[in-house]
């Protein structure tokens, strides 16, 4: 094939004339393409700008809006009590998250962020111990491990190790340590109250009469409320100490001496606060009872049996699930949403005659179907109701107040079931007993109520299902009777229809 260079050059010359080039860039078709391209470019720039602006706006929003806590227990979301405690904060407080870079705990990081967003008086700073190895020595002489939170207000501080923020216990099946709860919010609120308050309440527990030990759940709650627990031997003390905010008498098994009882009464008559538990006891506790009688109360010697199967643990009618009063300031917030369990409770009764200056308020009571069984000389009772058994609604927790002048008010709270202090019993109602007892202690404390907030730990394990005897019977009938019968009926109807066809 012969290449004709002369023709090719002529062809190119025709194509690249000024007129053709002008048409190429200014023709109607090209104008249309250029217009569409420009429009697309402008729209792309606008969309990118909108995305950037939206990201900047959402980046400034609080994490409570942009992040959803989907955990069952709302691990890093502040509770109502936590928000109130932070809202009341007037001092400038800094929360230092003392953690190595890359080792941050997700729950703690998000929780600290929520604290910061809840109050303008809270600052959160992260300190890397590798970069600042001597930082923690300003606040404690102890070794501070990575993952700790240091709460600082001026010269007052509190160090919360990561092992404090998380609860753990030994799994005896695997013989290994198992994390069971996250206590971040409760511990940090407790630390905030500690560093911002100088006046912390003192709780004395009476000793010397084989009193019941406090359960660890209640102790933890009291410590988180920044209450100091001290022991008191009234035999060696001239009187109840002046720094006492609350005196706790936890079911003495031996009687108090008359002098001890008189000291307790004298303390009450001067505007003191006394929280009393009792238990079924074979011994005569004459002087102990005299304290109750001085405030218009006495306890029945029999044991309460609940007749309403919605108010006791299945097969244990002496394990009462009583009602909390909705009219008392102490229990109104818990009434309707908290179970309490009061095993082996005795009826608290008012005396026929007591001072008209006393105000006696019911806090916890049974249903009208409860009855009292007397204990035999052998220490046994029968749960079966007899015709002669006293029946009715009985108090198992009451509060007595009395104005004693000089703007002072005596307050005696009495619960007749000391097993409420047991951790095992408390676990059966998911901490309900501790919540009620903590509410009583908070109400009795003379210091600012906002400084004794105690927020319970959030469980990481499966919660117990609280079910009454009535509910257990109801669902047993449904699952073992009604549902199988419905399936049988449906099958029989289908069989009949097919047979007719």
């Amino acid at each position: 094939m012969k290449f004709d260079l002369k023709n090719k050059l002529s062809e190119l010359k025709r194509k690249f004339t000024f007129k053709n080039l002008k048409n190429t860039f200014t023709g109607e078709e090209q104008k249309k393409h250029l217009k569409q391209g420009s429009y697309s470019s402008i729209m792309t720039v606008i969309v990118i700008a909108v995305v950037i602006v939206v990201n900047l706006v959402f980046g400034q929003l609080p994490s409570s809006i942009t992040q959803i806590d989907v955990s069952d227990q709302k691990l890093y979301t502040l509770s109502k009590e936590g928000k109130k405690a932070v809202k009341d904060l007037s001092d400038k407080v800094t929360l230092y998250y003392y953690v190595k870079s890359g080792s941050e705990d997700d729950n703690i990081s998000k929780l600290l962020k929520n604290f910061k967003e809840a109050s303008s008086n809270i600052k959160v700073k992260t300190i890397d111990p590798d970069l600042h190895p001597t930082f923690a020595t300003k606040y404690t002489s102890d070794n501070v491990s990575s993952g700790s939170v240091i709460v600082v207000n001026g010269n007052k501080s509190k160090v919360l190790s990561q092992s404090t923020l998380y609860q753990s216990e030994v799994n005896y099946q695997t013989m290994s340590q198992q994390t069971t709860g996250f206590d971040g919010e409760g511990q940090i609120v407790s630390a905030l109250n500690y560093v911002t308050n100088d006046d912390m309440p003192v709780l004395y527990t009476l000793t010397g009469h084989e009193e019941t030990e406090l359960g660890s759940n209640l102790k933890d709650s009291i410590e988180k409320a920044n209450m100091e627990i001290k022991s008191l031997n009234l035999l060696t003390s001239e009187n109840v100490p002046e720094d006492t905010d609350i005196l706790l008498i936890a079911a003495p098994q031996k009687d108090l001496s008359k002098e001890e009882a008189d000291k307790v009464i004298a303390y009450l008559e001067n505007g003191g606060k006394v929280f009393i538990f009792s238990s079924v006891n074979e011994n005569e506790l004459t002087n102990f009872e005299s304290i109750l009688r001085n405030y218009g109360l006495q306890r029945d010697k029999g044991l309460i049996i609940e007749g309403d199967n919605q108010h006791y643990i299945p097969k244990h009618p002496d394990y009462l699930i009583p009602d909390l009063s909705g009219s008392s300031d102490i229990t109104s917030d818990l009434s309707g949403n908290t179970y309490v369990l009061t095993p082996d409770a005795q009826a608290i009764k008012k005396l026929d005659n007591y001072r008209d200056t006393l105000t006696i308020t019911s806090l916890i009571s049974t249903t009208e179907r409860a009855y009292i069984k007397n204990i035999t000389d052998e220490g046994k009772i029968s749960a079966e109701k007899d015709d002669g058994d006293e029946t009715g609604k009985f108090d198992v927790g009451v509060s007595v107040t009395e104005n004693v002048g000089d703007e002072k008010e005596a307050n005696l709270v009495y619960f007749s079931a000391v097993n409420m202090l047991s951790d095992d019993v408390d676990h059966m109602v998911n901490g309900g007993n501790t919540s009620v007892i903590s509410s009583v202690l908070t109400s009795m404390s003379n210091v600012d109520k906002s400084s004794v907030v105690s927020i319970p730990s959030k469980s990481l394990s499966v919660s117990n299902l609280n079910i009454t005897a009535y509910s257990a019977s109801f669902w047993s009938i449904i699952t073992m009777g009604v549902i199988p019968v419905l399936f049988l009926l449906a099958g029989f109807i289908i069989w009949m229809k097919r047979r007719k066809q």
Side-chain angles (χ1 to χ4, degrees), residues 38-54:
S38 299
Y39 178 76
S40 299
S41 299
I42 292 171
M43 289 304 298
T44 303
V45 170
I46 291 173
V47 169
I48 293 173
V50 169
V51 170
I52 292 173
V53 170
V54 169

Side-chain angles (χ1 to χ4, degrees), residues 80 324-338 361-363 436 439-440:
K80 183 175 68 174
L324 295 172
S325 171
S327 58
S328 166
D329 292 339
I330 298 174
T331 53
S332 57
D333 287 345
L334 301 170
S335 176
N337 55 33
T338 302
T361 307
S362 173
L363 300 179
V436 172
S439 180
V440 171

Side-chain angles (χ1 to χ4, degrees), residues 98 127-140:
Y98 190 70
I127 302 294
D128 189 336
D130 288 339
L131 301 178
H132 306 277
T134 61
F135 176 82
T137 58
K138 292 187 290 185
Y139 306 108
T140 179

Side-chain angles (χ1 to χ4, degrees), residues 183-200:
D183 199 18
E185 184 191 4
Q187 291 294 342
I188 291 175
V189 168
S190 171
L192 288 172
N193 288 330
Y194 173 76
V195 300
T196 56
N197 290 281
D198 296 325
D199 189 15
M200 289 290 122

Side-chain angles (χ1 to χ4, degrees), residues 265-283:
I265 293 173
Y267 167 66
L268 278 164
E269 290 175 343
N270 194 33
K273 319 290 182 187
V274 178
F275 194 2
I276 295 178
F277 287 86
S278 68
S279 64
V280 177
N281 197 320
E282 296 177 352
N283 299 325

Side-chain angles (χ1 to χ4, degrees), residues 265-321:
I265 293 173
Y267 167 66
L268 278 164
E269 290 175 343
N270 194 33
K273 319 290 182 187
V274 178
F275 194 2
I276 295 178
F277 287 86
S278 68
S279 64
V280 177
N281 197 320
E282 296 177 352
N283 299 325
E284 289 292 331
L285 303 178
T286 307
N287 296 318
F288 170 77
E289 304 277 1
S290 70
I291 301 172
L292 300 176
R293 295 182 69 83
N294 195 59
Y295 285 86
L297 304 174
Q298 64 179 347
R299 60 173 176 159
D300 194 282
K301 291 186 179 301
L303 209 61
I304 299 176
I305 302 296
E306 181 56 74
D308 184 340
N309 58 8
Q310 294 195 61
H311 285 80
Y312 64 81
I313 295 294
K315 301 179 181 178
H316 295 279
D318 57 329
Y319 273 52
L320 318 179
I321 303 178

